[in-house]
PDB file of all heavy atoms in Angstrom:
ATOM      1  N   PHE K   8      37.596 112.406 111.410  1.00 98.00           N
ATOM      2  CA  PHE K   8      38.579 111.520 111.802  1.00 98.00           C
ATOM      3  C   PHE K   8      40.009 112.238 111.828  1.00 98.00           C
ATOM      4  O   PHE K   8      40.966 111.688 112.440  1.00 98.00           O
ATOM      5  CB  PHE K   8      38.619 110.277 110.871  1.00 98.00           C
ATOM      6  CG  PHE K   8      37.485 109.348 111.015  1.00 98.00           C
ATOM      7  CD1 PHE K   8      36.254 109.638 110.383  1.00 98.00           C
ATOM      8  CD2 PHE K   8      37.675 108.292 111.886  1.00 98.00           C
ATOM      9  CE1 PHE K   8      35.263 108.782 110.483  1.00 98.00           C
ATOM     10  CE2 PHE K   8      36.471 107.475 112.012  1.00 98.00           C
ATOM     11  CZ  PHE K   8      35.276 107.708 111.375  1.00 98.00           C
ATOM     12  N   TYR K   9      40.051 113.394 111.192  1.00 98.00           N
ATOM     13  CA  TYR K   9      41.372 114.032 111.183  1.00 98.00           C
ATOM     14  C   TYR K   9      41.226 115.523 111.668  1.00 98.00           C
ATOM     15  O   TYR K   9      42.275 116.226 111.658  1.00 98.00           O
ATOM     16  CB  TYR K   9      42.171 113.921 109.898  1.00 98.00           C
ATOM     17  CG  TYR K   9      41.546 114.597 108.786  1.00 98.00           C
ATOM     18  CD1 TYR K   9      41.870 115.880 108.342  1.00 98.00           C
ATOM     19  CD2 TYR K   9      40.548 113.932 107.968  1.00 98.00           C
ATOM     20  CE1 TYR K   9      41.225 116.507 107.213  1.00 98.00           C
ATOM     21  CE2 TYR K   9      39.958 114.563 106.888  1.00 98.00           C
ATOM     22  CZ  TYR K   9      40.321 115.817 106.515  1.00 98.00           C
ATOM     23  OH  TYR K   9      39.695 116.358 105.502  1.00 98.00           O
ATOM     24  N   THR K  10      40.045 115.958 112.109  1.00 97.00           N
ATOM     25  CA  THR K  10      39.954 117.319 112.578  1.00 97.00           C
ATOM     26  C   THR K  10      39.298 117.410 113.934  1.00 97.00           C
ATOM     27  O   THR K  10      39.143 118.526 114.421  1.00 97.00           O
ATOM     28  CB  THR K  10      39.035 118.091 111.677  1.00 97.00           C
ATOM     29  OG1 THR K  10      37.681 117.350 111.589  1.00 97.00           O
ATOM     30  CG2 THR K  10      39.506 118.036 110.210  1.00 97.00           C
ATOM     31  N   HIS K  11      38.929 116.344 114.622  1.00 97.00           N
ATOM     32  CA  HIS K  11      38.338 116.338 115.938  1.00 97.00           C
ATOM     33  C   HIS K  11      39.342 116.996 116.833  1.00 97.00           C
ATOM     34  O   HIS K  11      40.470 116.688 117.021  1.00 97.00           O
ATOM     35  CB  HIS K  11      38.080 114.942 116.454  1.00 97.00           C
ATOM     36  CG  HIS K  11      37.035 114.953 117.548  1.00 97.00           C
ATOM     37  ND1 HIS K  11      37.513 115.306 118.901  1.00 97.00           N
ATOM     38  CD2 HIS K  11      35.805 114.633 117.730  1.00 97.00           C
ATOM     39  CE1 HIS K  11      36.437 115.114 119.735  1.00 97.00           C
ATOM     40  NE2 HIS K  11      35.319 114.762 118.972  1.00 97.00           N
ATOM     41  N   PRO K  12      38.898 118.001 117.721  1.00 97.00           N
ATOM     42  CA  PRO K  12      39.731 118.833 118.483  1.00 97.00           C
ATOM     43  C   PRO K  12      40.449 117.919 119.553  1.00 97.00           C
ATOM     44  O   PRO K  12      41.607 118.397 119.807  1.00 97.00           O
ATOM     45  CB  PRO K  12      38.718 119.891 119.100  1.00 97.00           C
ATOM     46  CG  PRO K  12      37.636 119.897 118.246  1.00 97.00           C
ATOM     47  CD  PRO K  12      37.461 118.605 117.593  1.00 97.00           C
ATOM     48  N   LYS K  13      39.792 117.045 120.169  1.00 97.00           N
ATOM     49  CA  LYS K  13      40.459 116.259 121.139  1.00 97.00           C
ATOM     50  C   LYS K  13      41.588 115.336 120.511  1.00 97.00           C
ATOM     51  O   LYS K  13      42.582 115.191 121.105  1.00 97.00           O
ATOM     52  CB  LYS K  13      39.491 115.312 122.007  1.00 97.00           C
ATOM     53  CG  LYS K  13      40.060 114.661 123.224  1.00 97.00           C
ATOM     54  CD  LYS K  13      39.028 114.209 124.151  1.00 97.00           C
ATOM     55  CE  LYS K  13      39.748 113.668 125.370  1.00 97.00           C
ATOM     56  NZ  LYS K  13      38.721 113.310 126.486  1.00 97.00           N
ATOM     57  N   VAL K  14      41.318 114.786 119.336  1.00 98.00           N
ATOM     58  CA  VAL K  14      42.322 114.006 118.658  1.00 98.00           C
ATOM     59  C   VAL K  14      43.558 114.875 118.398  1.00 98.00           C
ATOM     60  O   VAL K  14      44.688 114.563 118.606  1.00 98.00           O
ATOM     61  CB  VAL K  14      41.861 113.466 117.364  1.00 98.00           C
ATOM     62  CG1 VAL K  14      42.884 112.875 116.599  1.00 98.00           C
ATOM     63  CG2 VAL K  14      40.715 112.172 117.803  1.00 98.00           C
ATOM     64  N   LEU K  15      43.284 116.099 117.937  1.00 98.00           N
ATOM     65  CA  LEU K  15      44.309 117.004 117.553  1.00 98.00           C
ATOM     66  C   LEU K  15      45.169 117.361 118.719  1.00 98.00           C
ATOM     67  O   LEU K  15      46.367 117.571 118.732  1.00 98.00           O
ATOM     68  CB  LEU K  15      43.901 118.255 116.772  1.00 98.00           C
ATOM     69  CG  LEU K  15      43.241 117.974 115.342  1.00 98.00           C
ATOM     70  CD1 LEU K  15      42.799 119.277 114.783  1.00 98.00           C
ATOM     71  CD2 LEU K  15      44.134 117.091 114.445  1.00 98.00           C
ATOM     72  N   ALA K  16      44.418 117.632 119.848  1.00 97.00           N
ATOM     73  CA  ALA K  16      45.249 117.926 120.975  1.00 97.00           C
ATOM     74  C   ALA K  16      46.096 116.787 121.521  1.00 97.00           C
ATOM     75  O   ALA K  16      47.255 117.026 121.953  1.00 97.00           O
ATOM     76  CB  ALA K  16      44.129 118.265 122.145  1.00 97.00           C
ATOM     77  N   ALA K  17      45.676 115.572 121.337  1.00 98.00           N
ATOM     78  CA  ALA K  17      46.504 114.360 121.638  1.00 98.00           C
ATOM     79  C   ALA K  17      47.664 114.268 120.647  1.00 98.00           C
ATOM     80  O   ALA K  17      48.800 113.982 121.166  1.00 98.00           O
ATOM     81  CB  ALA K  17      45.591 113.211 121.714  1.00 98.00           C
ATOM     82  N   ILE K  18      47.420 114.530 119.397  1.00 98.00           N
ATOM     83  CA  ILE K  18      48.520 114.493 118.433  1.00 98.00           C
ATOM     84  C   ILE K  18      49.636 115.485 118.806  1.00 98.00           C
ATOM     85  O   ILE K  18      50.780 115.266 118.805  1.00 98.00           O
ATOM     86  CB  ILE K  18      48.007 114.699 117.136  1.00 98.00           C
ATOM     87  CG1 ILE K  18      47.086 113.588 116.560  1.00 98.00           C
ATOM     88  CG2 ILE K  18      49.142 114.944 116.028  1.00 98.00           C
ATOM     89  CD1 ILE K  18      47.677 112.289 116.484  1.00 98.00           C
ATOM     90  N   GLU K  19      49.124 116.717 119.177  1.00 97.00           N
ATOM     91  CA  GLU K  19      50.082 117.847 119.459  1.00 97.00           C
ATOM     92  C   GLU K  19      50.888 117.491 120.704  1.00 97.00           C
ATOM     93  O   GLU K  19      52.041 117.849 120.891  1.00 97.00           O
ATOM     94  CB  GLU K  19      49.371 119.053 119.629  1.00 97.00           C
ATOM     95  CG  GLU K  19      50.232 120.230 119.870  1.00 97.00           C
ATOM     96  CD  GLU K  19      49.515 121.588 119.533  1.00 97.00           C
ATOM     97  OE1 GLU K  19      48.487 121.637 118.780  1.00 97.00           O
ATOM     98  OE2 GLU K  19      50.004 122.635 119.962  1.00 97.00           O
ATOM     99  N   ALA K  20      50.284 116.709 121.635  1.00 97.00           N
ATOM    100  CA  ALA K  20      50.946 116.317 122.890  1.00 97.00           C
ATOM    101  C   ALA K  20      52.137 115.420 122.541  1.00 97.00           C
ATOM    102  O   ALA K  20      53.120 115.367 123.327  1.00 97.00           O
ATOM    103  CB  ALA K  20      50.012 115.675 123.829  1.00 97.00           C
ATOM    104  N   VAL K  21      52.007 114.756 121.502  1.00 97.00           N
ATOM    105  CA  VAL K  21      53.090 113.735 121.117  1.00 97.00           C
ATOM    106  C   VAL K  21      54.079 114.415 120.052  1.00 97.00           C
ATOM    107  O   VAL K  21      55.232 114.314 120.219  1.00 97.00           O
ATOM    108  CB  VAL K  21      52.516 112.442 120.412  1.00 97.00           C
ATOM    109  CG1 VAL K  21      53.739 111.489 119.946  1.00 97.00           C
ATOM    110  CG2 VAL K  21      51.618 111.745 121.468  1.00 97.00           C
ATOM    111  N   LEU K  22      53.582 115.085 119.050  1.00 98.00           N
ATOM    112  CA  LEU K  22      54.423 115.587 118.052  1.00 98.00           C
ATOM    113  C   LEU K  22      54.770 117.081 118.094  1.00 98.00           C
ATOM    114  O   LEU K  22      55.607 117.472 117.313  1.00 98.00           O
ATOM    115  CB  LEU K  22      53.701 115.261 116.701  1.00 98.00           C
ATOM    116  CG  LEU K  22      53.398 113.887 116.221  1.00 98.00           C
ATOM    117  CD1 LEU K  22      52.733 113.791 114.895  1.00 98.00           C
ATOM    118  CD2 LEU K  22      54.639 113.002 116.340  1.00 98.00           C
ATOM    119  N   GLY K  23      54.134 117.805 119.022  1.00 97.00           N
ATOM    120  CA  GLY K  23      54.274 119.123 119.007  1.00 97.00           C
ATOM    121  C   GLY K  23      53.323 119.925 118.050  1.00 97.00           C
ATOM    122  O   GLY K  23      52.533 119.282 117.379  1.00 97.00           O
ATOM    123  N   SER K  24      53.501 121.064 117.815  1.00 96.00           N
ATOM    124  CA  SER K  24      52.534 121.943 117.000  1.00 96.00           C
ATOM    125  C   SER K  24      52.874 121.793 115.487  1.00 96.00           C
ATOM    126  O   SER K  24      51.838 122.139 114.666  1.00 96.00           O
ATOM    127  CB  SER K  24      52.550 123.442 117.323  1.00 96.00           C
ATOM    128  OG  SER K  24      53.959 123.909 117.136  1.00 96.00           O
ATOM    129  N   GLU K  25      54.026 121.285 115.079  1.00 97.00           N
ATOM    130  CA  GLU K  25      54.244 121.165 113.673  1.00 97.00           C
ATOM    131  C   GLU K  25      53.959 119.712 113.155  1.00 97.00           C
ATOM    132  O   GLU K  25      54.845 118.896 113.060  1.00 97.00           O
ATOM    133  CB  GLU K  25      55.632 121.598 113.350  1.00 97.00           C
ATOM    134  CG  GLU K  25      55.925 122.977 113.729  1.00 97.00           C
ATOM    135  CD  GLU K  25      55.155 124.069 112.899  1.00 97.00           C
ATOM    136  OE1 GLU K  25      54.908 123.834 111.686  1.00 97.00           O
ATOM    137  OE2 GLU K  25      54.687 124.958 113.512  1.00 97.00           O
ATOM    138  N   TYR K  26      52.753 119.426 112.669  1.00 98.00           N
ATOM    139  CA  TYR K  26      52.355 118.153 112.329  1.00 98.00           C
ATOM    140  C   TYR K  26      51.362 118.232 111.097  1.00 98.00           C
ATOM    141  O   TYR K  26      50.860 119.268 110.757  1.00 98.00           O
ATOM    142  CB  TYR K  26      51.622 117.338 113.423  1.00 98.00           C
ATOM    143  CG  TYR K  26      50.397 117.973 113.911  1.00 98.00           C
ATOM    144  CD1 TYR K  26      49.181 117.684 113.265  1.00 98.00           C
ATOM    145  CD2 TYR K  26      50.250 118.871 115.055  1.00 98.00           C
ATOM    146  CE1 TYR K  26      48.018 118.294 113.672  1.00 98.00           C
ATOM    147  CE2 TYR K  26      49.158 119.472 115.352  1.00 98.00           C
ATOM    148  CZ  TYR K  26      47.973 119.155 114.751  1.00 98.00           C
ATOM    149  OH  TYR K  26      46.740 119.656 115.188  1.00 98.00           O
ATOM    150  N   LYS K  27      51.080 117.107 110.426  1.00 98.00           N
ATOM    151  CA  LYS K  27      50.257 117.046 109.300  1.00 98.00           C
ATOM    152  C   LYS K  27      49.650 115.635 109.185  1.00 98.00           C
ATOM    153  O   LYS K  27      50.169 114.679 109.790  1.00 98.00           O
ATOM    154  CB  LYS K  27      50.958 117.335 108.043  1.00 98.00           C
ATOM    155  CG  LYS K  27      52.052 116.421 107.711  1.00 98.00           C
ATOM    156  CD  LYS K  27      52.919 116.861 106.516  1.00 98.00           C
ATOM    157  CE  LYS K  27      54.036 115.975 106.294  1.00 98.00           C
ATOM    158  NZ  LYS K  27      55.069 116.574 105.128  1.00 98.00           N
ATOM    159  N   LEU K  28      48.552 115.434 108.618  1.00 98.00           N
ATOM    160  CA  LEU K  28      47.968 114.130 108.403  1.00 98.00           C
ATOM    161  C   LEU K  28      48.899 113.395 107.391  1.00 98.00           C
ATOM    162  O   LEU K  28      49.112 113.940 106.383  1.00 98.00           O
ATOM    163  CB  LEU K  28      46.525 114.225 107.909  1.00 98.00           C
ATOM    164  CG  LEU K  28      45.981 112.891 107.700  1.00 98.00           C
ATOM    165  CD1 LEU K  28      45.442 112.266 109.063  1.00 98.00           C
ATOM    166  CD2 LEU K  28      44.640 112.843 106.764  1.00 98.00           C
ATOM    167  N   SER K  29      49.226 112.193 107.770  1.00 97.00           N
ATOM    168  CA  SER K  29      49.947 111.307 106.787  1.00 97.00           C
ATOM    169  C   SER K  29      49.059 110.493 105.940  1.00 97.00           C
ATOM    170  O   SER K  29      49.251 110.445 104.702  1.00 97.00           O
ATOM    171  CB  SER K  29      51.002 110.462 107.538  1.00 97.00           C
ATOM    172  OG  SER K  29      51.812 109.758 106.701  1.00 97.00           O
ATOM    173  N   SER K  30      48.015 109.983 106.567  1.00 97.00           N
ATOM    174  CA  SER K  30      47.063 109.121 105.776  1.00 97.00           C
ATOM    175  C   SER K  30      45.881 108.900 106.573  1.00 97.00           C
ATOM    176  O   SER K  30      45.846 108.927 107.786  1.00 97.00           O
ATOM    177  CB  SER K  30      47.711 107.810 105.347  1.00 97.00           C
ATOM    178  OG  SER K  30      48.066 106.977 106.481  1.00 97.00           O
ATOM    179  N   LEU K  31      44.776 108.441 105.977  1.00 98.00           N
ATOM    180  CA  LEU K  31      43.532 108.164 106.597  1.00 98.00           C
ATOM    181  C   LEU K  31      42.973 106.938 105.857  1.00 98.00           C
ATOM    182  O   LEU K  31      42.486 106.950 104.828  1.00 98.00           O
ATOM    183  CB  LEU K  31      42.431 109.304 106.404  1.00 98.00           C
ATOM    184  CG  LEU K  31      41.096 109.064 107.114  1.00 98.00           C
ATOM    185  CD1 LEU K  31      41.337 109.001 108.661  1.00 98.00           C
ATOM    186  CD2 LEU K  31      40.114 110.189 106.911  1.00 98.00           C
ATOM    187  N   ASN K  32      43.130 105.914 106.606  1.00 97.00           N
ATOM    188  CA  ASN K  32      42.856 104.519 105.960  1.00 97.00           C
ATOM    189  C   ASN K  32      41.906 103.627 106.895  1.00 97.00           C
ATOM    190  O   ASN K  32      41.908 103.870 108.144  1.00 97.00           O
ATOM    191  CB  ASN K  32      44.258 103.810 105.930  1.00 97.00           C
ATOM    192  CG  ASN K  32      45.327 104.620 105.074  1.00 97.00           C
ATOM    193  OD1 ASN K  32      44.935 105.167 104.027  1.00 97.00           O
ATOM    194  ND2 ASN K  32      46.465 104.449 105.507  1.00 97.00           N
ATOM    195  N   TYR K  33      41.424 102.656 106.324  1.00 97.00           N
ATOM    196  CA  TYR K  33      40.497 101.708 106.865  1.00 97.00           C
ATOM    197  C   TYR K  33      41.170 100.287 106.960  1.00 97.00           C
ATOM    198  O   TYR K  33      41.840  99.928 105.974  1.00 97.00           O
ATOM    199  CB  TYR K  33      39.261 101.596 106.046  1.00 97.00           C
ATOM    200  CG  TYR K  33      38.240 100.371 106.261  1.00 97.00           C
ATOM    201  CD1 TYR K  33      37.437 100.375 107.404  1.00 97.00           C
ATOM    202  CD2 TYR K  33      38.437  99.320 105.514  1.00 97.00           C
ATOM    203  CE1 TYR K  33      36.561  99.257 107.614  1.00 97.00           C
ATOM    204  CE2 TYR K  33      37.507  98.165 105.652  1.00 97.00           C
ATOM    205  CZ  TYR K  33      36.565  98.230 106.672  1.00 97.00           C
ATOM    206  OH  TYR K  33      35.673  97.163 106.988  1.00 97.00           O
ATOM    207  N   ARG K  34      41.032  99.636 108.019  1.00 96.00           N
ATOM    208  CA  ARG K  34      41.580  98.211 108.145  1.00 96.00           C
ATOM    209  C   ARG K  34      40.565  97.394 108.798  1.00 96.00           C
ATOM    210  O   ARG K  34      39.986  97.798 109.831  1.00 96.00           O
ATOM    211  CB  ARG K  34      42.925  98.235 108.881  1.00 96.00           C
ATOM    212  CG  ARG K  34      43.488  96.810 109.092  1.00 96.00           C
ATOM    213  CD  ARG K  34      44.870  96.813 109.798  1.00 96.00           C
ATOM    214  NE  ARG K  34      45.494  95.444 109.873  1.00 96.00           N
ATOM    215  CZ  ARG K  34      45.104  94.532 110.928  1.00 96.00           C
ATOM    216  NH1 ARG K  34      44.374  94.895 111.830  1.00 96.00           N
ATOM    217  NH2 ARG K  34      45.773  93.390 110.708  1.00 96.00           N
ATOM    218  N   ALA K  35      40.342  96.218 108.235  1.00 96.00           N
ATOM    219  CA  ALA K  35      39.378  95.301 108.807  1.00 96.00           C
ATOM    220  C   ALA K  35      39.938  93.998 108.887  1.00 96.00           C
ATOM    221  O   ALA K  35      40.253  93.276 107.907  1.00 96.00           O
ATOM    222  CB  ALA K  35      38.108  95.164 108.122  1.00 96.00           C
ATOM    223  N   ALA K  36      40.344  93.344 110.140  1.00 97.00           N
ATOM    224  CA  ALA K  36      40.880  92.162 110.291  1.00 97.00           C
ATOM    225  C   ALA K  36      39.896  90.998 109.856  1.00 97.00           C
ATOM    226  O   ALA K  36      38.780  90.923 110.308  1.00 97.00           O
ATOM    227  CB  ALA K  36      41.265  91.846 111.666  1.00 97.00           C
ATOM    228  N   LYS K  37      40.312  90.168 108.948  1.00 96.00           N
ATOM    229  CA  LYS K  37      39.493  89.110 108.439  1.00 96.00           C
ATOM    230  C   LYS K  37      39.342  87.910 109.404  1.00 96.00           C
ATOM    231  O   LYS K  37      40.134  87.815 110.278  1.00 96.00           O
ATOM    232  CB  LYS K  37      39.982  88.560 107.092  1.00 96.00           C
ATOM    233  CG  LYS K  37      40.035  89.475 105.915  1.00 96.00           C
ATOM    234  CD  LYS K  37      40.734  88.918 104.807  1.00 96.00           C
ATOM    235  CE  LYS K  37      40.888  89.868 103.640  1.00 96.00           C
ATOM    236  NZ  LYS K  37      41.399  89.159 102.443  1.00 96.00           N
ATOM    237  N   PRO K  38      38.141  87.256 109.512  1.00 97.00           N
ATOM    238  CA  PRO K  38      37.955  86.169 110.303  1.00 97.00           C
ATOM    239  C   PRO K  38      39.110  85.084 110.237  1.00 97.00           C
ATOM    240  O   PRO K  38      39.486  84.711 108.951  1.00 97.00           O
ATOM    241  CB  PRO K  38      36.653  85.551 109.833  1.00 97.00           C
ATOM    242  CG  PRO K  38      35.890  86.599 109.272  1.00 97.00           C
ATOM    243  CD  PRO K  38      36.859  87.527 108.529  1.00 97.00           C
ATOM    244  N   GLY K  39      39.729  84.766 111.349  1.00 97.00           N
ATOM    245  CA  GLY K  39      40.853  83.786 111.367  1.00 97.00           C
ATOM    246  C   GLY K  39      42.141  84.300 111.020  1.00 97.00           C
ATOM    247  O   GLY K  39      43.113  83.666 111.050  1.00 97.00           O
ATOM    248  N   LEU K  40      42.240  85.681 110.617  1.00 96.00           N
ATOM    249  CA  LEU K  40      43.360  86.266 110.219  1.00 96.00           C
ATOM    250  C   LEU K  40      43.648  87.607 111.030  1.00 96.00           C
ATOM    251  O   LEU K  40      43.067  87.829 112.074  1.00 96.00           O
ATOM    252  CB  LEU K  40      43.380  86.546 108.708  1.00 96.00           C
ATOM    253  CG  LEU K  40      43.236  85.329 107.838  1.00 96.00           C
ATOM    254  CD1 LEU K  40      42.894  85.615 106.352  1.00 96.00           C
ATOM    255  CD2 LEU K  40      44.361  84.428 107.852  1.00 96.00           C
ATOM    256  N   GLY K  41      44.561  88.405 110.482  1.00 96.00           N
ATOM    257  CA  GLY K  41      44.781  89.744 111.061  1.00 96.00           C
ATOM    258  C   GLY K  41      45.973  89.965 111.926  1.00 96.00           C
ATOM    259  O   GLY K  41      46.283  90.998 112.392  1.00 96.00           O
ATOM    260  N   LEU K  42      46.771  88.728 112.317  1.00 96.00           N
ATOM    261  CA  LEU K  42      47.856  88.962 113.180  1.00 96.00           C
ATOM    262  C   LEU K  42      48.920  89.726 112.455  1.00 96.00           C
ATOM    263  O   LEU K  42      49.342  89.500 111.326  1.00 96.00           O
ATOM    264  CB  LEU K  42      48.419  87.469 113.549  1.00 96.00           C
ATOM    265  CG  LEU K  42      49.623  87.574 114.350  1.00 96.00           C
ATOM    266  CD1 LEU K  42      49.306  88.127 115.787  1.00 96.00           C
ATOM    267  CD2 LEU K  42      50.211  86.093 114.538  1.00 96.00           C
ATOM    268  N   GLN K  43      49.477  90.629 113.202  1.00 95.00           N
ATOM    269  CA  GLN K  43      50.740  91.459 112.713  1.00 95.00           C
ATOM    270  C   GLN K  43      51.785  91.285 113.769  1.00 95.00           C
ATOM    271  O   GLN K  43      51.534  91.115 114.870  1.00 95.00           O
ATOM    272  CB  GLN K  43      50.359  92.976 112.613  1.00 95.00           C
ATOM    273  CG  GLN K  43      49.323  93.294 111.554  1.00 95.00           C
ATOM    274  CD  GLN K  43      48.912  94.782 111.641  1.00 95.00           C
ATOM    275  OE1 GLN K  43      48.805  95.348 112.701  1.00 95.00           O
ATOM    276  NE2 GLN K  43      48.879  95.471 110.540  1.00 95.00           N
ATOM    277  N   LYS K  44      52.923  91.331 113.295  1.00 96.00           N
ATOM    278  CA  LYS K  44      54.177  91.224 114.259  1.00 96.00           C
ATOM    279  C   LYS K  44      54.136  92.602 115.043  1.00 96.00           C
ATOM    280  O   LYS K  44      53.717  93.542 114.606  1.00 96.00           O
ATOM    281  CB  LYS K  44      55.415  90.978 113.379  1.00 96.00           C
ATOM    282  CG  LYS K  44      55.806  92.136 112.538  1.00 96.00           C
ATOM    283  CD  LYS K  44      57.165  91.763 111.832  1.00 96.00           C
ATOM    284  CE  LYS K  44      57.492  92.968 110.863  1.00 96.00           C
ATOM    285  NZ  LYS K  44      58.737  92.592 110.039  1.00 96.00           N
ATOM    286  N   LEU K  45      54.797  92.551 116.186  1.00 97.00           N
ATOM    287  CA  LEU K  45      54.956  93.870 116.895  1.00 97.00           C
ATOM    288  C   LEU K  45      55.951  94.711 116.095  1.00 97.00           C
ATOM    289  O   LEU K  45      56.893  94.165 115.500  1.00 97.00           O
ATOM    290  CB  LEU K  45      55.529  93.528 118.251  1.00 97.00           C
ATOM    291  CG  LEU K  45      54.552  92.987 119.332  1.00 97.00           C
ATOM    292  CD1 LEU K  45      55.315  92.534 120.532  1.00 97.00           C
ATOM    293  CD2 LEU K  45      53.474  94.067 119.641  1.00 97.00           C
ATOM    294  N   HIS K  46      55.518  96.001 115.766  1.00 96.00           N
ATOM    295  CA  HIS K  46      56.303  96.850 115.002  1.00 96.00           C
ATOM    296  C   HIS K  46      56.048  98.151 115.461  1.00 96.00           C
ATOM    297  O   HIS K  46      55.314  98.574 116.362  1.00 96.00           O
ATOM    298  CB  HIS K  46      55.906  96.756 113.483  1.00 96.00           C
ATOM    299  CG  HIS K  46      54.488  97.103 113.190  1.00 96.00           C
ATOM    300  ND1 HIS K  46      53.436  96.306 113.488  1.00 96.00           N
ATOM    301  CD2 HIS K  46      53.952  98.150 112.746  1.00 96.00           C
ATOM    302  CE1 HIS K  46      52.283  96.933 113.247  1.00 96.00           C
ATOM    303  NE2 HIS K  46      52.532  98.115 112.740  1.00 96.00           N
ATOM    304  N   VAL K  47      56.953  99.122 114.879  1.00 96.00           N
ATOM    305  CA  VAL K  47      56.726 100.624 115.060  1.00 96.00           C
ATOM    306  C   VAL K  47      56.553 101.127 113.661  1.00 96.00           C
ATOM    307  O   VAL K  47      56.747 100.516 112.715  1.00 96.00           O
ATOM    308  CB  VAL K  47      57.964 101.275 115.689  1.00 96.00           C
ATOM    309  CG1 VAL K  47      58.218 100.686 117.193  1.00 96.00           C
ATOM    310  CG2 VAL K  47      59.216 101.102 115.007  1.00 96.00           C
TER     311      VAL K  47
END
């Protein structure tokens, strides 16, 4: 999930060559819930 070559190529296209993993997390929206406000 953080070493796949195609993913890293895409990350580099956005951030350049100087990047690192910030976090690796799981999220599962519960039935009837899960809405988030638009954010960055």
Side-chain angles (χ1 to χ4, degrees):
F8 289 84
Y9 62 96
T10 62
H11 194 288
K13 190 163 187 176
V14 167
L15 296 182
I18 295 296
E19 188 164 337
V21 176
L22 299 181
S24 60
E25 298 299 317
Y26 63 86
K27 59 190 175 184
L28 183 76
S29 183
S30 60
L31 184 64
N32 304 319
Y33 164 84
R34 180 180 185 269
K37 297 178 180 178
L40 300 170
L42 178 66
Q43 295 175 315
K44 65 182 180 181
L45 285 170
H46 63 280
V47 300

